[in-house]
Amino acid sequence: MPTPVTVTAFGVAYEDPVADAIARDQDGVLWAVCRGTAAGKPEYAAELHPERQKAAMEGFLCACCKKPAARDDHGMLWVLPLLGEPESWEGLRSAIPPMCEACAQTAPRMCPQLREGHVKLRVREAELVGVRGTLYPRPDRPGAPDLDALVFYDYPDLPFVVARQAVRELRHTTVVAFAAAIP
Ligand SMILES: [Zn+2]
């Protein structure tokens, strides 16, 4: 059961004010509440637990093991699935956190998405630009929520989103390697 929300002209909020206060970050963005635990073994799921994803993305921690991500002269290491391969890796918006060297070796065999083919990138600049999550329509605009919206921090829609993932824009990228699907 998702935590009940109310939508007013000011934005979306959890009906329970205590839950709302806990789930709001320092920028006032409301985050999805998960009943599961953020601890425990890493899971190679399509989406990381929101708390874990946010911590990894904000702190440049490895998507798999939460240790600091690898960094060298060409920037930080990102390993991304080739699904829906963009024309350019420059300016790509990623909800997948960076990785450490050890996990970059093992993750492609463990993670179903990476197993289908992946790219290794070095990224010099990766600004936090927004969040992915559920975007609720304003009260005067009836409609269904958009369950997977990308909302930038400077969008007026930001108060109407329940965020699940922090998103960084990858700039000054260098492609290190492409890997085909692992049979
Ligand atoms: Zn790692």
Side-chain angles (χ1 to χ4, degrees):
M1 276 290 289
T3 310
V5 297
T6 52
V7 182
T8 69
F10 300 106
V12 61
Y14 288 131
E15 281 178 12
D16 175 358
V18 176
D20 190 87
I22 292 170
R24 231 167 254 286
D25 70 13
Q26 67 276 13
D27 300 314
V29 177
L30 190 62
W31 281 78
V33 175
C34 276
R35 300 230 153 66
T37 165
K41 279 190 193 166
E43 279 181 37
Y44 295 95
E47 267 193 25
L48 293 172
H49 188 285
E51 224 172 275
R52 186 187 172 100
Q53 194 275 355
K54 185 176 194 287
M57 209 50 152
E58 290 185 347
F60 288 115
L61 305 178
C62 174
C64 301
C65 72
K66 293 199 269 188
K67 289 181 188 147
R71 193 197 289 259
D72 71 8
D73 290 349
H74 298 286
M76 196 162 278
L77 180 60
W78 246 272
V79 181
L80 299 173
L82 286 178
L83 303 170
E85 184 178 349
E87 283 179 18
S88 164
W89 299 97
E90 183 62 32
L92 186 88
R93 278 104 187 213
S94 179
I96 299 175
M99 266 191 209
C100 74
E101 294 285 359
C103 291
Q105 298 295 323
T106 56
R109 286 195 296 276
M110 316 280 284
C111 165
Q113 275 187 311
L114 297 179
R115 204 184 295 148
E116 296 299 311
H118 61 272
V119 61
K120 275 188 195 179
L121 298 174
R122 289 284 176 175
V123 179
R124 281 190 197 276
E125 198 182 299
E127 190 190 340
L128 278 169
V129 291
V131 294
R132 288 201 89 93
T134 301
L135 179 62
Y136 287 86
R138 289 161 199 252
D140 59 344
R141 280 183 238 164
D146 179 348
L147 299 178
D148 188 28
L150 171 59
V151 182
F152 293 97
Y153 285 128
D154 56 357
Y155 272 18
D157 280 339
L158 191 63
F160 295 88
V161 72
V162 177
R164 282 192 311 274
Q165 298 180 307
V167 173
R168 286 190 184 272
E169 188 170 292
L170 310 187
R171 301 180 199 133
H172 306 286
T173 57
T174 308
V175 173
V176 178
F178 283 107
I182 298 170

